[in-house]
Amino acid sequence: MRFAVDTGGTFTDLIVEDDGGGLHMFKASTTPVDPIRGVIDALGLAAEKFGMGLRELLGGADMFIYGTTHALNAVLTGNTARTAFLTSAGHPDILVLREGGRAESFNFTVPFPDPYIPRALTWEIQGRMLADGSERTRLDEQSVLEAIAAMRSRKVEAVGVSLLWSIVNPAHEVRIGELLAQHMPGVPFTLSHQLNPILREYRRACATCIDASLKPMMAAYLAMLSQRLCEAGFHGRTLVVTSQGGVMDAAQAAAAPIYLLNSGPSMAPVSGRHFAEADAQTDTAIIADTGGTTYDVSLVRRGAVPWTRESWIGQPYRGHMTGFASVDVTSVGAGGGSLAWVDQGGMLRVGPQSAGSHPGPACYGRGGSHPTVTDASVVLGHLDPDFFLGGSMKLDRAAALRAIEEHVARPLSLSAEEAATAIIELATENMVQAILEISVNQGIDPGSAVLVGGGGAAGLNAVLIARRLQSPCLLIPEVGAALSAAGAMMSDLSARYQSMLFTRSGNFDYARVNALLADLERRCLDFVAGPGRTAHSHAIAFWAEARYAEQVWEIDVPLPLTRIEGPDGLALLIEAFHRTHEELFAIRDESSEVELVGWGATVACRIRGERDGALVADREHRPALPARRAYFAGHGYVEAQVHRFEALEVGKLLAGPALIESSFTTVVLNPGASARRCASGSLAIGAGRE
């Protein structure tokens, strides 16, 4: 038995995989002041379902996989350790000057953001390496010791070290690490060449400082998680979801917590890829995960999940860039709990503010008085107030109606139904724009890609989104209400290694490149022999960072071979670069020389064996339900047929208007749309037209 948990802003999702490979979904409210409490509550629901005590349930499990936004929330709220930054003499402003760029080019009223580490906690270290790895100036250890003395007097709790060109020759950073360990025992530190060996000083330094600042808090949090699980009866392996689309041991995550920044959202494309291949036989898909607080959009392109180093914490150019490779996810403040309001200009707005889980939407009856997307769905009759979370939570339709009338309908001189429809339509447009932004930038036509909808609130407007994008097919997996937790269940134990080596296609350094690739492969095999030793199988993928000569930015190119042997092997690599560049930017320049800057390898260890089979949710057969009166734009109130998701017959075609319900989600099948049940349990929907 295995568990996978995704802690969101509103709900904590749990998937339990039993010994036969069947999946069982559970949801509990997230407790913001104690996220682990929500995990225990969800496990308690599972124990009750299986007719056993919590200790008995946990005692029979061998793996617990955890996805959390705790690290991200800590950075956003400033709840991190008092961190110092050590950098090369003459360059103390790396975190201040950043890379330039403004969200609004001509808006000079917005102040330049503060650096992640203030200048008051920045120390310059004498010593300098050059780009070729040679030592220009020896490391002045006395300057390091003076900085250590100053840091101790300032009660520094963590240290980030990022020196110029340490990615080529890390000797100075290594020695500084030794001095920190000797003179500041117990104070965690991060060395940039170990964590993130990339070009561009700001990104590398920022990643280093973010990682260091999270170490005390995340080490304590993950230790507390393991302790409370152990006290509850779990003695198996605890894994944590990473922002790179894999999982790693909790102890490793505590040593490098930057891996956890986008922990939860990175799992949705993993499961989305699975269902796109299984149900639509396609390797290109758009994954949309609708939670209570955010709407997360990601892609699958040619069977691969794209990565990015352009991840921002907060607003672009106004927050902090992580500079750390992670799954490319675009998030907007649009979810089931997004607040609807009318601004001073009389314009309707939806989000980015969210009601969260406490007090939650007005219909939750927990004190919330402002309307949300969920309230709008209740007023329209799309959500059954008596069957929310399988009937374990009753919704107050009268409270939802009052909130919409007071805050939206009367200010805009609309009926309650028109106001609720406007809320849904505006939320839909916000979500569509997020999809267009990421898909077009990645060279994908959203009108030709399958749309996979996940999250508890996905079904409320997924048909409208697919219709707006003209998607050929919309998939709602049966486990889609916990799409990220399902992705965690099927993800691999993985690690990513990279190194710097500059060479050009016109004068390619075969010997050094192949030696570097051999070293990367050795590191991957060491990982397989260590953390991955119990895996059923493993795979190693190599990639390079390349660009046309004199370009500013590189792109990641999968290597077609494990080694570059002679001109033929190089030609395959260069063609792979041309093809990838053309796909992203619609241009290829075969006359230009190609520069290769960085090299890397990713190892994935399969921890879910073939015996586990397909991901199929627990089936509960319920009697057919009577039709429900529901409101649809352009049609008014109609009698919509109500079906149980888990009881639908495979292959049977359903026509809208209809409502397809499970204990965890409701799929609104608008008039003109149709749906059929796939063998995997997913709903394949044709959005159609009104």
Side-chain angles (χ1 to χ4, degrees):
M1 184 176 288
R2 300 191 302 167
F3 307 121
V5 170
D6 176 48
T7 300
T10 305
F11 289 106
T12 295
D13 297 339
L14 166 67
I15 286 189
V16 178
E17 183 181 35
D18 61 34
D19 294 333
L23 299 186
H24 310 261
M25 287 188 295
F26 305 90
K27 280 181 180 282
S29 293
T30 296
T31 308
V33 296
D34 181 14
I36 299 176
R37 179 72 261 165
V39 175
I40 301 298
D41 289 344
L43 290 167
L45 293 175
E48 183 179 343
K49 166 71 178 298
F50 288 110
M52 59 179 70
L54 179 59
R55 181 168 295 277
E56 182 184 358
L57 175 75
L58 291 173
D62 59 3
M63 190 174 293
F64 180 88
I65 307 172
Y66 185 49
T68 177
T69 58
H70 199 65
L72 178 62
N73 292 339
V75 176
L76 288 171
T77 60
N79 187 29
T80 54
R82 184 175 176 83
T83 306
F85 174 43
L86 304 187
T87 187
S88 298
H91 297 269
D93 291 319
I94 289 173
L95 297 179
V96 177
L97 298 179
R98 298 150 65 102
E99 291 181 350
R102 302 175 67 90
E104 301 170 83
S105 300
F106 302 103
N107 184 358
F108 298 101
T109 64
V110 178
F112 204 69
D114 293 330
Y116 190 77
I117 304 297
R119 280 292 305 273
L121 292 175
T122 299
W123 280 269
E124 302 177 58
I125 302 301
Q126 299 294 329
R128 179 68 183 275
M129 293 293 183
L130 297 180
D132 61 2
S134 63
E135 185 180 62
R136 181 179 185 274
T137 307
R138 293 182 60 186
L139 177 66
D140 182 358
E141 295 191 8
Q142 185 59 36
S143 69
V144 180
L145 295 175
E146 291 172 357
I148 289 175
M151 288 188 288
R152 293 174 64 179
S153 68
R154 300 289 297 275
K155 295 181 171 52
V156 164
E157 299 169 323
V159 183
V161 184
S162 184
L163 305 182
L164 295 183
W165 296 113
S166 62
I167 52 177
V168 180
N169 185 343
H172 289 180
E173 278 196 2
V174 171
R175 180 55 183 157
I176 291 174
E178 293 171 350
L179 293 171
L180 287 170
Q182 179 182 351
H183 296 282
M184 297 182 70
V187 175
F189 58 86
T190 299
L191 306 180
S192 70
H193 77 276
Q194 294 177 346
L195 178 74
N196 196 25
I198 62 169
L199 281 175
R200 299 184 176 84
E201 296 306 314
Y202 168 67
R203 299 183 181 205
R204 181 158 53 90
C206 200
T208 301
C209 293
I210 290 172
D211 183 74
S213 72
L214 288 169
K215 282 184 174 179
M217 183 269 296
M218 287 307 296
Y221 180 77
L222 293 176
M224 178 62 70
L225 171 68
S226 298
Q227 177 185 337
R228 289 173 67 172
L229 287 174
C230 182
E231 291 172 350
F234 177 72
H235 301 289
R237 187 177 187 180
T238 301
L239 300 172
V240 183
V241 173
T242 74
S243 58
Q244 298 184 340
V247 297
M248 66 194 311
D249 285 293
Q252 279 188 295
I258 194 171
Y259 279 95
L260 308 183
L261 276 180
N262 288 309
S263 171
S266 70
M267 287 293 101
V270 175
S271 51
R273 174 175 57 189
H274 170 88
F275 291 109
E277 292 174 351
D279 298 326
Q281 294 75 52
T282 181
D283 61 359
T284 300
I286 297 169
I287 318 300
D289 190 8
T290 312
T293 306
T294 61
Y295 184 71
D296 301 323
V297 183
S298 51
L299 302 175
V300 175
R301 189 178 68 235
R302 292 205 306 271
V305 178
W307 294 30
T308 181
R309 285 198 178 91
E310 302 287 330
S311 297
W312 289 88
I313 300 175
Q315 291 182 303
Y317 303 109
R318 295 177 185 173
H320 304 289
M321 181 181 285
T322 68
F324 199 74
S326 62
V327 170
D328 194 358
V329 179
T330 293
S331 299
V332 294
S338 293
L339 294 171
W341 48 287
V342 177
D343 65 18
Q344 293 180 341
M347 297 291 289
L348 177 64
R349 307 278 185 172
V350 177
Q353 300 90 346
S354 173
S357 58
H358 296 280
C363 61
Y364 279 15
R366 296 174 177 169
S369 59
H370 288 77
T372 66
V373 173
T374 298
D375 292 308
S377 296
V378 171
V379 167
L380 294 173
H382 298 168
L383 283 178
D384 183 354
D386 296 323
F387 192 60
F388 193 70
L389 292 182
S392 63
M393 181 177 176
K394 305 295 183 182
L395 300 182
D396 187 342
R397 185 181 186 278
L401 183 62
R402 285 195 302 272
I404 287 179
E405 287 180 338
E406 178 182 351
H407 295 283
V408 179
R410 283 199 290 270
L412 296 179
S413 300
L414 299 173
S415 68
E417 292 81 5
E418 290 171 333
T421 298
I423 292 171
I424 298 294
E425 290 177 343
L426 183 54
T428 296
E429 189 60 28
N430 291 340
M431 295 170 177
V432 166
Q433 291 305 314
I435 291 174
L436 291 175
E437 178 182 341
I438 191 171
S439 60
V440 173
N441 286 346
Q442 291 283 346
I444 291 179
D445 175 10
S448 63
V450 167
L451 177 64
V452 181
L460 299 181
N461 64 338
V463 168
L464 297 179
I465 294 171
R467 187 175 285 173
R468 172 77 169 75
L469 295 172
Q470 300 182 342
S471 298
C473 178
L474 164 66
L475 292 175
I476 305 288
E478 189 172 5
V479 294
L483 194 65
S484 290
M489 187 64 74
M490 68 179 75
S491 60
D492 297 326
L493 185 72
S494 64
R496 177 181 170 103
Y497 303 102
Q498 61 189 95
S499 295
M500 273 281 303
L501 196 161
F502 179 86
T503 187
R504 289 191 175 210
S505 58
N507 185 26
F508 193 77
D509 194 336
Y510 293 95
R512 292 181 64 200
V513 168
N514 286 325
L516 186 149
L517 293 175
D519 180 67
L520 291 170
E521 185 174 36
R522 177 193 58 76
R523 295 166 69 183
C524 289
L525 293 175
D526 288 345
F527 180 85
V528 174
R533 60 187 175 277
T534 60
H536 297 275
S537 61
H538 73 271
I540 300 175
F542 294 89
W543 43 270
E545 294 176 309
R547 65 193 182 200
Y548 286 121
E550 311 306 332
Q551 277 188 319
V552 176
W553 303 104
E554 304 83 35
I555 59 175
D556 286 352
V557 181
L559 294 190
L561 302 169
T562 60
R563 301 290 188 275
I564 312 300
E565 303 289 355
D568 290 342
L570 178 60
L572 290 174
L573 169 57
I574 299 308
E575 173 56 30
F577 168 77
H578 289 317
R579 184 172 59 251
T580 304
H581 194 279
E582 184 176 24
E583 183 178 74
L584 291 174
F585 305 113
I587 188 173
R588 59 191 289 155
D589 183 7
E590 297 185 13
S591 63
S592 178
E593 202 170 29
V594 175
E595 296 176 342
L596 298 115
V597 177
W599 306 81
T602 301
V603 57
C605 298
R606 185 176 177 83
I607 54 178
R608 189 174 188 271
E610 297 298 334
R611 66 171 178 82
D612 298 316
L615 289 164
V616 179
D618 186 34
R619 302 293 170 86
E620 298 179 11
H621 297 286
R622 299 177 182 272
L625 296 177
R628 187 161 74 239
R629 190 166 176 262
Y631 185 93
F632 293 94
H635 300 270
Y637 279 104
V638 300
E639 292 296 312
Q641 294 297 313
V642 181
H643 305 272
R644 284 285 184 259
F645 200 140
E646 58 273 12
L648 289 177
E649 181 182 340
V650 173
K652 182 178 180 180
L653 190 67
L654 301 178
L659 302 168
I660 303 169
E661 297 179 337
S662 77
S663 297
F664 306 102
T665 192
T666 295
V667 179
V668 178
L669 202 62
N670 298 69
S674 60
R676 62 176 178 82
R677 178 78 172 271
C678 301
S680 70
S682 301
L683 277 181
I685 300 174
R689 298 180 179 178
E690 291 190 46

